[in-house]
Amino acid sequence: MKRNMKQRAAALVFGIMALGLTACGAKGTDGGNKLIFQIWNQGQKAGMEELAAAYTKEHPEVEIEVQALGWDEYWTKLEASAVSNTMPDIFWMHSNQMFKYADAGMLADCTDLVNAENFDSGAVENAKGSDGNMYGVPKDKDIVALLYNKEVFDAAGAKYPNEDWTWEDLEETSEKIFQETGKFGYMAYSHDQIGYWNFVYQNGGTILNEDGSAPTYTDPATKEAIAYYIGLQEKEWCPTQAQFANTGASELFFSGQGAMYYAGSWDLVNLCKTYGDMNGKWDVAVLPKCPNPKNGDGRASISNSVSYATSAKGKKKEAAMDFLAYLGSEEGQRLQGETGVAIPAFNGLEDTWVQTFAENGYDIHAENILPMFHYNVKYLTNPSRPAWEPKVEVGVLDIYAGNISVEDGIENIQDIVTEEIRKY
């Protein structure tokens, strides 16, 4: 009952603001048959333009303009356009924000556009609102991978990572690399999806309970893994968070100052393009497993997804929904994979993404990371995540900085998430 009341309240707030701004003369998107397609990743703009071109070739009466914004600007503008009823005709929706917009009635119901059996189950769940209906069309799926610098490994005489690696191998190889070359080994920067969440689930812990109604940071397996991950910063072969604030892990990695770090599959093509001079000098592997997990087999990798969406109140909703149907079709998903921008959410099309690396002369073995989808863990989110995520991030950094003990810091994080869920 409380959740239903909260949904109605959220919808009312959006509605009142929309009425107020519309009454002041807010204008809609461009007229005619032009659709505005807004995304937050400049690196995927060319791929989205290929999808738009393929659609408009069969629908020459329609024009689609792809607009790529930065992450922060994207969400600032989307919220402003939501309250003024001037949302883009088509746009991306992140799982972090899906509940916020879907539960407020701002997104069109896409349930009838999607045959859920054709798509990755996690991507389907990430496209749903609290009522269980789908308010987006699954776009892609991702996985977290271990990147390793072959030049640094070779200089240290170290063996490359493989599917049998454990946390112990990660540490031992990092120590060997540091001793032999003076370079950093595994660079464990503060992050949830690309960092400690993987270690938590590999150790058999959890972040939220099964229905997302309560946090589980104080679960023994969870606390143990978080403490382990944060403790890696104490190793001489791992940069501190202060160092990462000045130079990111990717910059350290591609400048040859560090040997390993975790990255999302969505970054791989961009990294190949950006660091062309490093072609053939680095590769990807599955994540090392926990050698002695409290539960399970020690394997896990966090997987997330993005959805295509449109406004429930859009002036060009019919045309937008037709384009969404194309984006979710096997043809549209296959083309997305062939552009190399992301792994399609459509089952069985993973190889279309893998093949783009060889076709473009990128010498990495992207196929190495696909087996992790057999034991992936769906990205952790719930309706209150936008409220607790930034507070948890600060809480973790406080532990890193020594402002609070690991034990007390985790208890504090548990209380933060519990309170934000209670408010919802």
Side-chain angles (χ1 to χ4, degrees):
M1 180 62 70
K2 183 177 180 181
R3 176 168 289 183
N4 290 336
M5 291 176 64
K6 190 70 175 182
Q7 291 170 13
R8 289 197 293 271
L12 180 61
V13 169
F14 267 120
I16 290 173
M17 295 180 73
L19 286 172
L21 289 172
T22 302
C24 293
K27 297 181 180 179
T29 53
D30 291 347
N33 294 319
K34 183 176 183 178
L35 301 178
I36 301 299
F37 182 8
Q38 206 159 92
I39 67 175
W40 63 68
N41 187 333
Q42 182 69 39
Q44 291 196 31
K45 184 180 181 184
M48 295 301 101
E49 288 175 336
E50 285 191 46
L51 282 165
Y55 177 81
T56 56
K57 183 177 181 180
E58 300 299 322
H59 301 81
E61 74 282 2
V62 178
E63 179 184 355
I64 301 174
E65 178 185 342
V66 179
Q67 298 177 348
L69 307 176
W71 174 262
D72 292 336
E73 181 186 12
Y74 180 91
W75 293 109
T76 299
K77 287 192 172 183
L78 190 66
E79 182 165 351
S81 66
V83 299
S84 63
N85 197 24
T86 59
M87 297 181 85
D89 301 297
I90 309 100
F91 47 93
W92 286 355
M93 182 53 53
H94 194 277
S95 53
N96 282 358
Q97 301 287 332
M98 176 58 78
F99 289 111
K100 172 182 175 179
Y101 285 88
D103 292 356
M106 301 308 298
L107 305 181
D109 191 327
C110 297
T111 305
D112 292 341
L113 297 183
V114 180
N115 181 349
E117 293 182 356
N118 290 334
F119 291 86
D120 175 79
S121 60
V124 170
E125 291 303 310
N126 283 336
K128 292 181 178 179
S130 293
D131 61 4
N133 290 338
M134 298 186 68
Y135 292 92
V137 172
K139 172 186 178 290
D140 56 35
K141 62 182 179 181
D142 61 43
I143 205 77
V144 179
L146 172 66
L147 275 61
Y148 63 96
N149 186 311
K150 294 194 290 186
E151 284 193 320
V152 177
F153 268 73
D154 291 345
K159 294 182 179 179
Y160 297 158
N162 59 45
E163 65 276 6
D164 296 322
W165 258 37
T166 69
W167 297 358
E168 293 171 347
D169 294 299
L170 188 70
E171 287 201 57
E172 290 171 1
T173 303
S174 294
E175 178 66 26
K176 179 179 178 62
I177 286 170
F178 184 78
Q179 293 300 328
E180 295 293 330
T181 69
K183 309 292 186 181
F184 293 120
Y186 170 56
M187 297 178 287
Y189 54 94
S190 181
H191 200 275
D192 47 27
Q193 183 190 2
I194 317 178
Y196 70 90
W197 278 3
N198 299 283
F199 288 76
V200 165
Y201 281 84
Q202 287 168 353
N203 195 40
T206 56
I207 295 297
L208 298 172
N209 65 357
E210 190 170 346
D211 65 2
S213 62
T216 52
Y217 284 86
T218 52
D219 174 85
T222 301
K223 288 200 297 184
E224 182 178 83
I226 292 175
Y228 174 83
Y229 187 80
I230 290 176
L232 292 177
Q233 180 182 263
E234 303 303 317
K235 307 293 185 180
E236 58 185 353
W237 43 258
C238 181
T240 65
Q241 302 312 304
Q243 288 173 298
F244 285 129
N246 292 320
T247 309
S250 62
E251 288 81 6
L252 291 170
F253 180 85
F254 285 101
S255 64
Q257 298 178 62
M260 293 175 280
Y261 78 110
Y262 284 7
S265 58
W266 62 89
D267 264 343
L268 297 185
V269 168
N270 281 340
L271 293 174
C272 288
K273 292 179 179 177
T274 302
Y275 300 101
D277 59 325
M278 288 291 291
N279 190 33
K281 300 176 182 179
W282 62 284
D283 213 332
V284 295
V286 300
L287 302 189
K289 62 183 178 179
C290 178
N292 299 297
K294 285 190 174 296
N295 302 291
D297 65 359
R299 294 192 182 277
S301 181
I302 306 299
S303 177
N304 196 17
S305 59
V306 173
S307 301
Y308 297 110
T310 190
S311 169
K313 308 171 186 178
K315 294 178 174 63
K316 303 170 188 174
K317 181 179 174 182
E318 183 177 351
M321 292 288 277
D322 193 68
F323 182 45
L324 286 181
Y326 170 74
L327 292 172
S329 68
E330 183 172 1
E331 177 187 344
Q333 291 277 306
R334 181 180 298 279
L335 180 56
Q336 179 193 217
E338 290 172 350
T339 66
V341 297
I343 304 172
F346 202 99
N347 292 325
L349 295 182
E350 295 85 358
D351 284 345
T352 62
W353 174 78
V354 169
Q355 291 166 6
T356 62
F357 291 88
E359 290 170 357
N360 287 284
Y362 303 142
D363 187 13
I364 70 168
H365 297 85
E367 68 275 10
N368 288 350
I369 67 176
L370 294 185
M372 289 190 289
F373 281 111
H374 294 301
Y375 49 82
N376 70 315
V377 174
K378 179 185 169 298
Y379 184 82
L380 293 313
T381 189
N382 62 10
S384 60
R385 178 177 166 83
W388 58 258
E389 178 191 20
K391 295 180 179 180
V392 169
E393 182 178 353
V394 171
V396 172
L397 289 174
D398 278 341
I399 300 173
Y400 270 115
N403 298 331
I404 191 171
S405 69
V406 175
E407 181 76 21
D408 290 344
I410 291 175
E411 292 284 347
N412 183 49
I413 290 170
Q414 174 79 6
D415 291 342
I416 287 171
V417 181
T418 298
E419 176 62 15
E420 293 302 335
I421 291 176
R422 185 195 66 76
K423 288 178 183 178
Y424 188 84

